[in-house]
Amino acid sequence: MLLNQINSPADLKKLSVSQLETLAEEIRGFLIEKLSKTGGHLAPNLGVVELTLALHYLFDSPKDKFIFDVGHQSYVHKILTGRKDRFDTLRKYKGLCGFVKMSESEHDVWEAGHSSTSLSAAMGMAIARDLKGEKNKIVAVIGDGALTGGMALEAMNHIGHERKNMTVILNDNEMSIAPNVGALHNYLNKIRTDKHYTKVKEEFEHLLKKIPAIGGTLAKTAERLKDSLKYLVVSGVWFEELGFKYFGPVDGHNLTQLFETFKQAEKVNGPVLIHVITVKGKGYSPAEADSHAWHGGGPYKIESGQFVKVVGPPMYTDVFGNTLIELAEQDDRIMAITPAMPKGSGLEKFADKFPGRMIDVGIAEQHAATLCAALSLEGMKPVFAVYSTFMQRAYDQIIHDICRQNTNVVFAIDRAGFVGADGETHQGVYDIAFMRSIPNMVLMMPKDENELRHMMKTAIDYNNGPIAVRYPRLNGVGVKMDDQLQPIPIGTWETVREGEKFAILATGAPMLELAASAAELLKSEGINPRIVNARFLKPLDENMLVSLYEDGYHIVTLEEGAALGGFGSAVLEFYAERGIYGMKIKPIGIPDYFVEHGSPKEQRQEVGLTPERIVTELKAMLPRKRQAAGLKSR
């Protein structure tokens, strides 16, 4: 196999075009086989095989810098830069990252797990290059979905103004995660589907070259004619008006066309945009047929294309989606808003049932947040369904437009806590800290899928400002669902296990499970802690906190969130503000560093979110004499 001979980009340059085409098919087979075991972003990577080969064939990485927007389409890049032998570890604990990772290779020059950052990064690197007097090339690869992100448009405006030398590859596959939406997507579609443009453009440019250069007037007239043609046949005029030299559309699976276009682009002084058309999932029929489902997923059976699914209770995401439909049937104010994640956020059924009340704004979290604020002010009940990791992109709008104006917006925060294989760029571990610090915000987390249903009812009925419910990327615990939905009194906790002397305040199902396991371990030590479902992270249950102090309890708080500024900090602040001292309080959360990919269990083990850690912390609260004498004296 040719692939066995490729250990660095230098090895590619020894191959002919026909050999590269053979290598492309070998890479596709390699990806399909490896990802069937590890899971991962199959469809995006199958779509960029030839494009990535062309980049490494014509450019000189790492001197020339490749910046992959999001980075989930970098698997081929990893294969070509000496990491193919580690693909069995992809997205596994201490294994290869599913995104670009600078610590893995000198060829990885920019890390990202969120979209629309590549053009700003490319501009920064271009400015630094020119200031240092260097001559390397800078290439940003961005998808048509990511291009609709506001940050990408801001960067294009700056790049076009400064006119720095760089190449932008627009990888146009009509998809981000969900099908793209919006006016820019429609514009790209006009370019993509214009069958006559490329031929007419080529013929006209050939004609212009035959006109003798006999005066500036004629040359200017020819240039004006050329510009008029751009408008006439709907070319990439929008990009050219922004200051880019536009090439395309180009077949992203035709190496010869890619080579020719890249070589033409190298002759241009200033920013270049190459519009490449690719097929997401190319070479694997199940992924081509449903690139949405195959954007990123778990292990699967190659022959049938069926994902290997774990049978169990419904996921919290699905419970949210079904409950929202139930509530919307009774309340026509309810609208669902999502930034390009209708399926991932559990809203596909809602969209089918209420198409006029479901809005997918594309990759535009900031816009989504402010849109929700305005909808609320006009009497609607917007539900902003968003992953925790993506919600942080709209933090200014959450503060300025939603919370400051005290609008009745409901946040449905999915993927709260550890997310497993997607790793550090996607961990939903910061929202407790950054949401609880904002005035007017109410923040909840359920102990199980049934309580999630009641929290959704609570949120819809709440009319005193913004309210959020956060839930994990997990299956529920398997409890019976109540038929009738009842609102939960704001700021109230519940004791799920009686005990004495010690209280474990746990937030969410995974932490309550840890608390229960720790309590079982402590039985043999003669310790019987009280376990509290601290379902409101803001406001706290002040009555229970006061009674815990009055009854002589010591406290451990548990949260699958950042320890700095999190739920444990809130409990400490409560007692400090009231001058309540003398009780021992130990917050347990995620330490002050970014936790990398692995399973959620491995991630919890790494940071000390374990039953054994809870046991150790509780025993450390015992009087020293008792610790020395042993616990049996109880």
Side-chain angles (χ1 to χ4, degrees):
M1 289 181 64
L2 284 172
L3 184 55
N4 293 335
Q5 304 171 29
I6 306 300
N7 297 303
S8 74
D11 296 327
L12 280 182
K13 302 179 190 299
K14 305 170 187 176
L15 304 181
S16 66
V17 173
S18 63
Q19 286 177 312
L20 288 173
E21 290 170 346
T22 300
L23 179 60
E25 295 312 306
E26 291 182 8
I27 290 173
R28 283 196 170 90
F30 178 89
L31 287 171
I32 293 167
E33 192 273 326
K34 293 296 183 182
L35 269 61
S36 71
K37 299 180 177 64
T38 64
H41 292 91
L42 180 64
N45 286 283
L46 292 178
V48 297
V49 175
E50 289 85 1
L51 175 58
T52 311
L53 283 170
L55 289 172
H56 277 292
Y57 191 78
L58 293 179
F59 293 90
D60 184 19
S61 175
K63 178 185 175 183
D64 295 332
K65 300 182 186 298
F66 301 152
I67 304 169
F68 295 93
D69 205 282
V70 183
H72 62 285
Q73 78 286 50
S74 64
Y75 294 4
V76 184
H77 166 76
K78 288 175 185 272
I79 291 169
L80 300 177
T81 53
R83 286 170 273 182
K84 66 178 184 292
D85 293 338
R86 295 182 61 200
F87 255 73
D88 289 333
T89 72
L90 181 72
R91 291 160 47 92
K92 294 182 179 178
Y93 191 62
K94 302 298 183 183
L96 279 182
C97 180
F99 300 90
V100 176
K101 188 76 173 171
M102 285 188 282
S103 61
E104 285 183 6
S105 172
E106 64 179 344
H107 297 277
D108 291 6
V109 300
W110 176 258
E111 296 182 3
H114 294 175
S115 81
S116 311
T117 67
S118 60
L119 302 189
S120 297
M123 185 58 172
M125 291 182 184
I127 292 170
R129 174 201 61 197
D130 293 350
L131 287 173
K132 292 186 291 184
E134 297 173 348
K135 301 297 182 182
N136 60 294
K137 310 288 177 54
I138 295 169
V139 182
V141 181
I142 184 169
D144 51 317
L147 190 66
T148 65
M151 186 175 175
L153 301 178
E154 291 171 14
M156 289 187 73
N157 182 57
H158 187 206
I159 293 167
H161 175 72
E162 296 289 342
R163 300 194 60 79
K164 294 291 183 183
N165 288 338
M166 69 175 69
T167 299
V168 175
I169 309 293
L170 172 55
N171 175 32
D172 184 356
N173 56 28
E174 303 187 68
M175 295 284 289
S176 47
I177 296 175
N180 290 327
V181 297
L184 184 56
H185 163 67
N186 294 335
Y187 174 74
L188 291 174
N189 190 55
K190 287 182 181 179
I191 301 176
R192 185 189 308 113
T193 56
D194 191 337
K195 298 178 180 178
H196 304 292
Y197 168 64
T198 301
K199 183 178 179 181
V200 173
K201 178 185 175 187
E202 289 174 354
E203 289 177 352
F204 190 77
E205 288 179 348
H206 180 68
L207 177 64
L208 287 179
K209 289 176 182 177
K210 291 185 176 182
I211 298 175
I214 54 172
T217 302
L218 182 59
K220 290 177 182 177
T221 300
E223 190 62 32
R224 284 198 298 271
L225 285 170
K226 185 178 174 183
D227 287 341
S228 297
L229 177 68
K230 292 177 193 174
Y231 287 97
L232 179 64
V233 298
V234 196
S235 74
V237 65
W238 184 77
F239 300 108
E240 299 222 355
E241 292 295 339
L242 282 176
F244 288 78
K245 174 65 177 177
Y246 174 86
F247 291 87
V250 181
D251 182 352
H253 302 297
N254 187 314
L255 285 166
T256 300
Q257 283 189 26
L258 288 169
F259 290 160
E260 290 175 353
T261 306
F262 285 177
K263 288 175 182 177
Q264 290 176 17
E266 279 193 49
K267 300 174 184 178
V268 174
N269 185 38
V272 170
L273 186 139
I274 301 174
H275 185 181
V276 177
I277 308 298
T278 60
V279 176
K280 200 170 183 180
K282 184 173 178 61
Y284 185 53
S285 55
E288 285 193 45
D290 189 358
S291 57
H292 187 184
W294 287 86
H295 173 81
Y300 53 89
K301 298 177 182 179
I302 296 176
E303 296 77 12
S304 65
Q306 293 181 329
F307 287 102
V308 179
K309 294 185 178 180
V310 178
V311 178
M315 293 193 70
Y316 284 92
T317 301
D318 296 327
V319 173
F320 156 73
N322 292 332
T323 306
L324 189 62
I325 290 173
E326 187 177 335
L327 291 165
E329 289 173 337
Q330 304 164 17
D331 188 341
D332 58 11
R333 300 174 306 150
I334 294 175
M335 298 187 67
I337 292 85
T338 185
M341 303 300 293
K343 183 172 183 178
S345 294
L347 291 174
E348 282 191 320
K349 292 180 182 178
F350 186 95
D352 290 340
K353 191 169 183 63
F354 305 107
R357 294 159 64 183
M358 162 72 185
I359 303 175
D360 179 357
V361 299
I363 301 176
E365 292 86 359
Q366 294 171 297
H367 168 58
T370 298
L371 177 69
C372 286
L375 285 168
S376 171
L377 290 174
E378 291 301 310
M380 306 307 290
K381 196 72 175 186
V383 178
F384 186 11
V386 61
Y387 294 4
S388 171
T389 185
F390 297 145
M391 185 179 67
Q392 63 202 31
R393 293 160 60 93
Y395 194 47
D396 176 60
Q397 287 68 33
I398 294 171
I399 294 174
H400 184 273
D401 299 333
I402 293 177
C403 293
R404 188 185 58 82
Q405 298 186 104
N406 203 33
T407 58
N408 294 321
V409 174
V410 176
F411 292 87
I413 308 173
D414 205 334
R415 271 64 167 174
F418 285 131
V419 295
D422 282 340
E424 58 190 313
T425 57
H426 284 60
Q427 307 285 27
V429 300
Y430 305 108
D431 58 272
I432 297 174
F434 72 66
M435 292 289 272
R436 81 169 189 87
S437 62
I438 311 174
N440 296 330
M441 179 62 69
V442 172
L443 184 57
M444 308 178 283
M445 188 169 190
K447 71 176 186 295
D448 55 43
E449 61 269 38
N450 185 51
E451 189 167 60
L452 171 58
R453 284 172 48 76
H454 294 297
M455 285 187 173
M456 288 301 302
K457 172 66 172 174
T458 305
I460 295 300
D461 286 1
Y462 186 72
N463 289 309
N464 294 319
I467 185 168
V469 54
R470 63 190 307 269
Y471 43 92
R473 184 186 188 179
L474 294 172
N475 292 92
V477 299
V479 298
K480 182 181 181 298
M481 301 288 200
D482 294 332
D483 293 329
Q484 292 296 118
L485 297 179
Q486 298 293 335
I488 301 169
I490 300 295
T492 59
W493 297 345
E494 66 170 353
T495 297
V496 296
R497 174 174 173 151
E498 295 291 349
E500 53 188 13
K501 300 299 182 184
F502 301 97
I504 304 174
L505 311 183
T507 58
M511 296 301 96
L512 281 160
E513 183 180 345
L514 286 184
S517 298
E520 289 300 307
L521 292 176
L522 287 164
K523 274 185 178 180
S524 62
E525 305 280 6
I527 298 177
N528 181 32
R530 180 178 177 181
I531 299 177
V532 174
N533 171 25
R535 56 195 177 188
F536 283 90
L537 300 104
K538 183 185 181 183
L540 305 177
D541 189 332
E542 298 187 0
N543 291 333
M544 185 177 289
L545 287 172
V546 169
S547 69
L548 288 172
Y549 167 71
E550 292 175 344
D551 294 339
Y553 278 86
H554 301 301
I555 293 173
V556 168
T557 67
L558 286 181
E559 60 191 305
E560 197 168 276
L564 295 181
F567 170 69
S569 293
V571 173
L572 287 169
E573 291 161 9
F574 173 84
Y575 289 119
E577 287 170 359
R578 288 155 181 78
I580 297 174
Y581 307 109
M583 58 192 305
K584 297 175 181 177
I585 304 171
K586 178 62 181 180
I588 301 178
I590 297 172
D592 189 24
Y593 70 91
F594 293 106
V595 181
E596 297 188 350
H597 54 283
S599 70
K601 182 178 180 181
E602 290 167 328
Q603 291 165 337
R604 292 181 194 120
Q605 185 74 34
E606 178 182 319
V607 302
L609 282 170
T610 63
E612 293 76 15
R613 165 84 182 283
I614 300 168
V615 168
T616 299
E617 298 293 354
L618 276 175
K619 288 167 67 174
M621 292 179 176
L622 292 168
R624 290 188 178 182
K625 288 184 179 180
R626 174 129 177 246
Q627 290 181 45
L631 300 172
K632 293 294 185 181
S633 60
R634 181 180 176 83

